Protein backbone atom coordinates (compact mmCIF):
# COMPACT_ATOMS: atom_id res chain seq x y z
CA UNK A 1 0.00 0.00 0.00
CA UNK A 2 2.87 2.36 0.73
CA UNK A 3 4.04 1.48 -2.76
CA UNK A 4 0.85 2.90 -4.20
CA UNK A 5 1.40 6.24 -2.44
CA UNK A 6 5.06 6.25 -3.51
CA UNK A 7 4.07 5.56 -7.11
CA UNK A 8 1.54 8.39 -7.06
CA UNK A 9 4.21 10.77 -5.78
CA UNK A 10 6.53 9.58 -8.54
CA UNK A 11 3.93 10.47 -11.13
CA UNK A 12 2.30 7.15 -12.02
CA UNK A 13 -1.09 7.85 -13.59
CA UNK A 14 -2.13 4.24 -13.14
CA UNK A 15 -1.33 4.39 -9.41
CA UNK A 16 -3.29 7.63 -9.05
CA UNK A 17 -6.32 6.11 -10.80
CA UNK A 18 -6.22 3.06 -8.52
CA UNK A 19 -5.73 5.09 -5.38
CA UNK A 20 -8.72 7.24 -6.32
CA UNK A 21 -10.83 4.09 -6.63
CA UNK A 22 -9.74 2.91 -3.17
CA UNK A 23 -10.59 6.26 -1.61
CA UNK A 24 -13.85 6.48 -3.53
CA UNK A 25 -14.84 3.05 -2.20
CA UNK A 26 -13.95 4.19 1.32
CA UNK A 27 -11.57 1.27 1.64
CA UNK A 28 -10.46 0.43 5.18
CA UNK A 29 -6.94 1.65 4.32
CA UNK A 30 -8.20 5.02 3.06
CA UNK A 31 -7.36 7.02 6.17
CA UNK A 32 -3.86 5.60 6.30
CA UNK A 33 -3.25 6.29 2.62
CA UNK A 34 -4.52 9.85 2.84
CA UNK A 35 -2.33 10.47 5.89
CA UNK A 36 0.70 9.38 3.88
CA UNK A 37 -0.21 11.72 1.01
CA UNK A 38 -1.22 14.71 3.06
CA UNK A 39 2.27 16.21 3.61
CA UNK A 40 2.59 16.47 -0.17
CA UNK A 41 -0.58 18.51 -0.68
CA UNK A 42 -1.29 22.21 -0.63
CA UNK A 43 0.35 23.22 -3.89
CA UNK A 44 -2.50 22.99 -6.38
CA UNK A 45 -4.97 25.78 -7.00
CA UNK A 46 -8.45 24.35 -6.63
CA UNK A 47 -11.16 25.76 -8.89
CA UNK A 48 -14.79 24.81 -8.33
CA UNK A 49 -17.31 25.05 -11.14
CA UNK A 50 -20.95 24.82 -10.20
CA UNK A 51 -24.33 25.90 -11.54
CA UNK A 52 -27.67 24.65 -12.79
CA UNK A 53 -27.90 21.68 -15.13
CA UNK A 54 -27.24 22.48 -18.76
CA UNK A 55 -25.60 25.87 -18.26
CA UNK A 56 -22.23 24.80 -19.62
CA UNK A 57 -20.15 23.68 -16.64
CA UNK A 58 -18.42 20.89 -18.56
CA UNK A 59 -17.86 23.05 -21.62
CA UNK A 60 -16.39 25.83 -19.47
CA UNK A 61 -14.20 23.30 -17.67
CA UNK A 62 -12.85 22.13 -21.02
CA UNK A 63 -12.15 25.69 -22.18
CA UNK A 64 -10.46 26.75 -18.92
CA UNK A 65 -8.37 23.57 -19.03
CA UNK A 66 -7.27 24.40 -22.53
CA UNK A 67 -6.22 27.95 -21.52
CA UNK A 68 -4.28 26.54 -18.57
CA UNK A 69 -2.57 24.02 -20.85
CA UNK A 70 -1.54 26.84 -23.19
CA UNK A 71 0.18 28.34 -20.14
CA UNK A 72 1.93 25.01 -19.58
CA UNK A 73 0.07 24.25 -16.38
CA UNK A 74 -0.92 20.67 -15.58
CA UNK A 75 -4.55 20.03 -14.77
CA UNK A 76 -6.64 17.48 -12.91
CA UNK A 77 -10.39 17.49 -13.45
CA UNK A 78 -13.00 15.87 -11.21
CA UNK A 79 -16.40 15.74 -12.85
CA UNK A 80 -19.21 14.79 -10.49
CA UNK A 81 -22.56 13.44 -11.65
CA UNK A 82 -25.46 12.08 -9.61
CA UNK A 83 -25.99 8.42 -8.73
CA UNK A 84 -29.47 7.02 -9.17
CA UNK A 85 -31.21 6.84 -5.79
CA UNK A 86 -33.02 3.74 -7.03
CA UNK A 87 -30.25 1.57 -8.46
CA UNK A 88 -27.04 3.18 -7.19
CA UNK A 89 -25.77 3.26 -10.75
CA UNK A 90 -24.74 6.42 -12.58
CA UNK A 91 -24.38 7.82 -16.06
CA UNK A 92 -21.28 9.97 -16.13
CA UNK A 93 -21.43 12.10 -19.25
CA UNK A 94 -19.06 14.99 -18.61
CA UNK A 95 -16.28 13.57 -20.73
CA UNK A 96 -18.42 14.05 -23.83
CA UNK A 97 -17.95 17.79 -23.50
CA UNK A 98 -14.29 17.60 -22.61
CA UNK A 99 -13.06 16.24 -25.93
CA UNK A 100 -10.35 18.80 -26.34
CA UNK A 101 -8.77 17.89 -23.02
CA UNK A 102 -9.31 14.15 -23.21
CA UNK A 103 -6.61 13.69 -25.83
CA UNK A 104 -3.99 15.39 -23.65
CA UNK A 105 -2.03 13.09 -21.34
CA UNK A 106 -1.19 16.00 -19.02
CA UNK A 107 -4.87 16.40 -18.24
CA UNK A 108 -6.25 13.79 -15.85
CA UNK A 109 -10.03 13.61 -15.93
CA UNK A 110 -11.91 11.54 -13.41
CA UNK A 111 -15.67 11.12 -13.41
CA UNK A 112 -17.27 10.53 -10.03
CA UNK A 113 -20.77 9.54 -8.99
CA UNK A 114 -22.25 11.17 -5.87
CA UNK A 115 -23.19 7.78 -4.39
CA UNK A 116 -26.02 9.27 -2.41
CA UNK A 117 -24.20 12.32 -1.06
CA UNK A 118 -26.01 15.65 -1.22
CA UNK A 119 -24.52 19.08 -1.75
CA UNK A 120 -23.27 18.65 -5.32
CA UNK A 121 -20.21 16.51 -4.57
CA UNK A 122 -19.46 12.94 -3.61
CA UNK A 123 -18.42 12.37 -0.01
CA UNK A 124 -14.84 11.64 -1.05
CA UNK A 125 -14.42 14.39 -3.67
CA UNK A 126 -12.29 16.56 -1.35
CA UNK A 127 -9.91 13.63 -0.81
CA UNK A 128 -9.63 13.05 -4.56
CA UNK A 129 -8.65 16.73 -4.90
CA UNK A 130 -5.85 16.07 -2.40
CA UNK A 131 -4.65 13.07 -4.41
CA UNK A 132 -4.37 15.11 -7.62
CA UNK A 133 -2.68 17.88 -5.64
CA UNK A 134 -0.11 15.47 -4.18
CA UNK A 135 0.44 13.95 -7.64
CA UNK A 136 1.64 17.39 -8.68
CA UNK A 137 -1.17 18.86 -10.74
CA UNK A 138 -0.87 22.66 -10.77
CA UNK A 139 -4.62 23.04 -10.99
CA UNK A 140 -7.49 20.86 -9.85
CA UNK A 141 -10.87 21.74 -11.34
CA UNK A 142 -13.94 20.29 -9.66
CA UNK A 143 -17.13 20.33 -11.65
CA UNK A 144 -20.14 19.70 -9.43
CA UNK A 145 -23.43 18.04 -10.15
CA UNK A 146 -25.95 20.39 -11.77
CA UNK A 147 -27.26 22.14 -8.67
CA UNK A 148 -30.37 23.95 -7.49
CA UNK A 149 -30.43 26.53 -4.76
CA UNK A 150 -28.36 25.40 -1.82
CA UNK A 151 -25.77 22.86 -2.94
CA UNK A 152 -22.71 24.92 -2.14
CA UNK A 153 -20.42 22.31 -0.60
CA UNK A 154 -17.82 23.01 -3.29
CA UNK A 155 -17.09 26.43 -1.75
CA UNK A 156 -15.51 24.64 1.25
CA UNK A 157 -13.13 22.69 -0.99
CA UNK A 158 -12.25 25.16 -3.74
CA UNK A 159 -9.99 28.21 -3.56
CA UNK A 160 -12.24 29.91 -6.10
CA UNK A 161 -15.78 28.89 -6.99
CA UNK A 162 -17.37 29.81 -10.30
CA UNK A 163 -21.17 29.75 -10.53
CA UNK A 164 -22.31 29.23 -14.11
CA UNK A 165 -25.72 30.65 -14.98
CA UNK A 166 -27.83 30.61 -18.12
CA UNK A 167 -28.49 34.04 -19.56
CA UNK A 168 -31.96 35.53 -19.12
CA UNK B 1 -25.39 3.35 -1.89
CA UNK B 2 -22.43 3.92 0.33
CA UNK B 3 -18.94 2.51 0.34
CA UNK B 4 -19.10 -0.31 -2.09
CA UNK B 5 -17.14 -1.26 -5.11
CA UNK B 6 -19.16 -0.46 -8.19
CA UNK B 7 -18.48 -1.79 -11.66
CA UNK B 8 -17.09 1.05 -13.76
CA UNK B 9 -17.74 0.91 -17.48
CA UNK B 10 -16.38 3.04 -20.30
CA UNK B 11 -18.73 3.13 -23.28
CA UNK B 12 -16.99 4.28 -26.42
CA UNK B 13 -17.55 4.77 -30.11
CA UNK B 14 -14.25 4.34 -31.91
CA UNK B 15 -13.77 5.84 -35.35
CA UNK B 16 -15.98 8.12 -37.42
CA UNK B 17 -19.23 6.21 -36.95
CA UNK B 18 -21.97 8.47 -35.59
CA UNK B 19 -24.56 5.85 -34.68
CA UNK B 20 -24.66 5.88 -30.91
CA UNK B 21 -28.24 4.93 -30.09
CA UNK B 22 -27.08 1.46 -29.07
CA UNK B 23 -24.16 2.72 -27.00
CA UNK B 24 -26.36 5.25 -25.20
CA UNK B 25 -29.09 2.68 -24.57
CA UNK B 26 -26.59 0.26 -23.07
CA UNK B 27 -25.02 3.03 -20.98
CA UNK B 28 -28.42 3.56 -19.40
CA UNK B 29 -29.09 -0.14 -19.04
CA UNK B 30 -25.75 -0.62 -17.26
CA UNK B 31 -26.44 2.35 -14.97
CA UNK B 32 -29.81 0.87 -14.10
CA UNK B 33 -28.02 -2.38 -13.28
CA UNK B 34 -26.07 -0.42 -10.65
CA UNK B 35 -22.90 0.25 -12.63
CA UNK B 36 -21.13 3.59 -12.99
CA UNK B 37 -20.94 4.29 -16.70
CA UNK B 38 -18.76 6.85 -18.43
CA UNK B 39 -19.87 7.64 -21.96
CA UNK B 40 -16.99 9.20 -23.88
CA UNK B 41 -18.95 10.49 -26.84
CA UNK B 42 -18.49 9.99 -30.54
CA UNK B 43 -15.41 9.77 -32.74
CA UNK B 44 -12.86 8.46 -30.29
CA UNK B 45 -9.41 7.27 -31.20
CA UNK B 46 -8.18 4.07 -29.51
CA UNK B 47 -5.69 6.29 -27.64
CA UNK B 48 -8.51 8.45 -26.21
CA UNK B 49 -10.50 5.38 -25.16
CA UNK B 50 -7.54 3.78 -23.43
CA UNK B 51 -6.56 7.05 -21.72
CA UNK B 52 -10.14 7.28 -20.40
CA UNK B 53 -9.99 3.67 -19.16
CA UNK B 54 -6.69 4.40 -17.44
CA UNK B 55 -7.82 7.61 -15.73
CA UNK B 56 -11.22 6.24 -14.74
CA UNK B 57 -9.74 2.93 -13.49
CA UNK B 58 -12.37 1.12 -15.55
CA UNK B 59 -13.34 -2.51 -15.10
CA UNK B 60 -14.97 -2.76 -18.52
CA UNK B 61 -14.53 -1.07 -21.88
CA UNK B 62 -17.56 -1.41 -24.16
CA UNK B 63 -16.92 -0.66 -27.83
CA UNK B 64 -19.66 -0.03 -30.34
CA UNK B 65 -19.19 0.03 -34.07
CA UNK B 66 -21.73 0.06 -36.85
CA UNK B 67 -19.49 1.19 -39.68
CA UNK B 68 -17.33 -1.87 -40.32
CA UNK B 69 -14.16 -0.67 -38.64
CA UNK B 70 -14.27 -3.16 -35.76
CA UNK B 71 -11.50 -5.39 -37.13
CA UNK B 72 -9.03 -2.54 -36.76
CA UNK B 73 -10.33 -0.58 -33.79
CA UNK B 74 -11.33 -3.31 -31.33
CA UNK B 75 -7.97 -5.19 -31.38
CA UNK B 76 -6.12 -1.85 -31.31
CA UNK B 77 -7.89 -0.88 -28.08
CA UNK B 78 -6.99 -4.25 -26.51
CA UNK B 79 -3.38 -3.82 -27.61
CA UNK B 80 -3.07 -0.30 -26.17
CA UNK B 81 -4.70 -1.36 -22.89
CA UNK B 82 -2.02 -4.04 -22.54
CA UNK B 83 0.71 -1.54 -23.40
CA UNK B 84 -0.50 0.66 -20.54
CA UNK B 85 -0.49 -2.31 -18.17
CA UNK B 86 -4.29 -2.53 -17.99
CA UNK B 87 -4.40 -6.30 -18.31
CA UNK B 88 -7.46 -6.81 -16.15
CA UNK B 89 -9.85 -4.63 -18.15
CA UNK B 90 -12.68 -6.59 -19.77
CA UNK B 91 -13.22 -5.51 -23.38
CA UNK B 92 -16.58 -6.23 -24.98
CA UNK B 93 -17.93 -5.12 -28.33
CA UNK B 94 -21.18 -4.69 -30.13
CA UNK B 95 -22.87 -3.19 -33.14
CA UNK B 96 -22.96 -4.52 -36.65
CA UNK B 97 -20.31 -7.23 -36.56
CA UNK B 98 -20.46 -10.02 -39.18
CA UNK B 99 -20.47 -13.49 -37.63
CA UNK B 100 -17.29 -14.46 -39.47
CA UNK B 101 -15.37 -11.66 -37.75
CA UNK B 102 -16.26 -12.68 -34.21
CA UNK B 103 -13.69 -15.47 -33.84
CA UNK B 104 -10.89 -13.13 -34.93
CA UNK B 105 -11.98 -10.43 -32.49
CA UNK B 106 -12.12 -12.93 -29.64
CA UNK B 107 -8.68 -14.17 -30.55
CA UNK B 108 -7.48 -10.55 -30.40
CA UNK B 109 -8.73 -10.26 -26.82
CA UNK B 110 -12.31 -9.01 -27.15
CA UNK B 111 -14.12 -11.08 -24.53
CA UNK B 112 -17.53 -11.05 -26.18
CA UNK B 113 -19.37 -9.53 -29.12
CA UNK B 114 -23.05 -8.66 -28.75
CA UNK B 115 -25.03 -8.06 -31.91
CA UNK B 116 -28.45 -6.50 -32.48
CA UNK B 117 -31.24 -8.25 -30.59
CA UNK B 118 -29.04 -9.47 -27.75
CA UNK B 119 -30.99 -9.45 -24.49
CA UNK B 120 -29.62 -6.68 -22.27
CA UNK B 121 -29.80 -8.87 -19.17
CA UNK B 122 -27.52 -11.33 -20.95
CA UNK B 123 -24.90 -8.58 -21.45
CA UNK B 124 -25.16 -7.48 -17.82
CA UNK B 125 -24.77 -11.07 -16.65
CA UNK B 126 -21.72 -11.55 -18.87
CA UNK B 127 -20.06 -8.45 -17.43
CA UNK B 128 -20.83 -9.37 -13.83
CA UNK B 129 -19.56 -12.91 -14.36
CA UNK B 130 -16.38 -11.92 -16.14
CA UNK B 131 -14.89 -8.83 -14.54
CA UNK B 132 -11.85 -9.49 -12.44
CA UNK B 133 -11.81 -9.05 -8.71
CA UNK B 134 -15.51 -9.56 -8.12
Amino acid sequence: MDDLVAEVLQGSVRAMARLITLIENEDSRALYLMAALYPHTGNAYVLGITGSPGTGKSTLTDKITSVLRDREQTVGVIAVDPSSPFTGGALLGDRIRMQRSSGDAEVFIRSMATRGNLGGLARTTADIVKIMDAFGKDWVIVETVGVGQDEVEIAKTADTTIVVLAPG
Amino acid sequence: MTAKKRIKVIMAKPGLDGHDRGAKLLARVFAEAGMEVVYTGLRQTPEMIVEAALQEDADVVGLSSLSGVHNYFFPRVVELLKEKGLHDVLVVGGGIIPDEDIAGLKKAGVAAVFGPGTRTDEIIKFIKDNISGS
Side-chain angles (χ1 to χ4, degrees):
Chain A
M1 276 300 131
D2 284 320
D3 291 351
L4 199 56
V5 171
E7 282 175 43
V8 171
L9 295 174
Q10 282 158 17
S12 161
V13 173
R14 173 88 167 126
M16 172 153 69
R18 301 199 98 144
L19 180 59
I20 291 173
T21 304
L22 282 177
I23 300 301
E24 211 182 357
N25 292 338
E26 298 179 55
D27 188 274
S28 55
R29 295 155 294 185
L31 193 62
Y32 168 77
L33 291 164
M34 288 311 295
L37 271 181
Y38 203 80
H40 305 276
T41 62
N43 301 311
Y45 195 88
V46 184
L47 186 62
I49 299 189
T50 191
S52 328
T55 47
K57 295 181 296 298
S58 304
T59 305
L60 185 64
T61 302
D62 194 41
K63 304 288 182 203
I64 291 175
T65 301
S66 126
V67 170
L68 290 169
R69 291 294 299 133
D70 287 344
R71 296 179 185 177
E72 295 179 358
Q73 300 282 296
T74 58
V75 184
V77 176
I78 304 169
V80 189
D81 269 328
S83 297
S84 161
F86 303 110
T87 65
L91 249 178
L92 311 166
D94 295 312
R95 265 182 186 272
I96 301 170
R97 280 166 286 276
M98 296 182 189
Q99 296 294 337
R100 196 196 299 230
S101 312
S102 62
D104 179 349
E106 293 298 322
V107 179
F108 184 101
I109 305 171
R110 182 66 174 236
S111 312
M112 279 189 99
T114 54
R115 299 191 178 180
N117 198 52
L118 301 175
L121 299 177
R123 191 157 54 186
T124 54
T125 301
D127 286 338
I128 310 305
V129 170
K130 294 287 178 209
I131 297 174
M132 292 187 179
D133 180 354
F135 177 86
K137 292 295 183 193
D138 301 316
W139 290 73
V140 178
I141 304 180
V142 182
E143 187 205 321
T144 74
V145 167
V147 299
Q149 291 182 299
D150 75 343
E151 294 94 343
V152 293
E153 212 181 283
I154 181 63
K156 294 181 206 157
T157 301
D159 296 313
T160 298
T161 301
I162 299 175
V163 180
V164 187
L165 300 170
Chain B
M1 285 284 289
T2 52
K4 186 179 153 196
K5 170 75 184 137
R6 292 213 167 261
I7 298 172
K8 195 151 192 182
V9 185
I10 306 280
M11 284 299 289
K13 292 282 306 175
L16 298 174
D17 172 23
H19 304 83
D20 65 349
R21 180 68 58 91
K24 281 177 172 164
L25 173 73
L26 280 177
R28 177 152 293 277
V29 165
F30 294 155
E32 284 178 4
M35 303 178 197
E36 291 181 347
V37 188
V38 177
Y39 179 47
T40 59
L42 294 170
R43 300 183 194 99
Q44 302 289 300
T45 64
E47 286 77 8
M48 288 159 91
I49 295 166
V50 171
E51 196 60 37
L54 174 73
Q55 295 177 354
E56 301 284 355
D57 195 19
D59 302 296
V60 184
V61 171
L63 300 170
S64 161
S65 169
L66 285 78
S67 63
V69 296
H70 49 274
N71 282 337
Y72 169 71
F73 279 107
F74 291 9
R76 182 71 185 137
V77 168
V78 174
E79 190 181 299
L80 284 173
L81 283 169
K82 288 189 175 140
E83 266 176 39
K84 295 263 182 186
L86 304 172
H87 299 281
D88 49 0
V89 176
L90 183 73
V91 179
V92 293
I96 304 298
I97 315 284
D99 287 343
E100 59 264 35
D101 291 347
I102 293 177
L105 292 173
K106 286 191 172 168
K107 198 163 169 236
V110 179
V113 176
F114 303 107
T118 310
R119 289 181 58 101
T120 54
D121 52 3
E122 187 190 313
I123 306 175
I124 293 164
K125 185 175 185 310
F126 182 87
I127 289 175
K128 288 185 172 168
D129 289 348
N130 287 280
I131 57 159
S132 57
S134 64

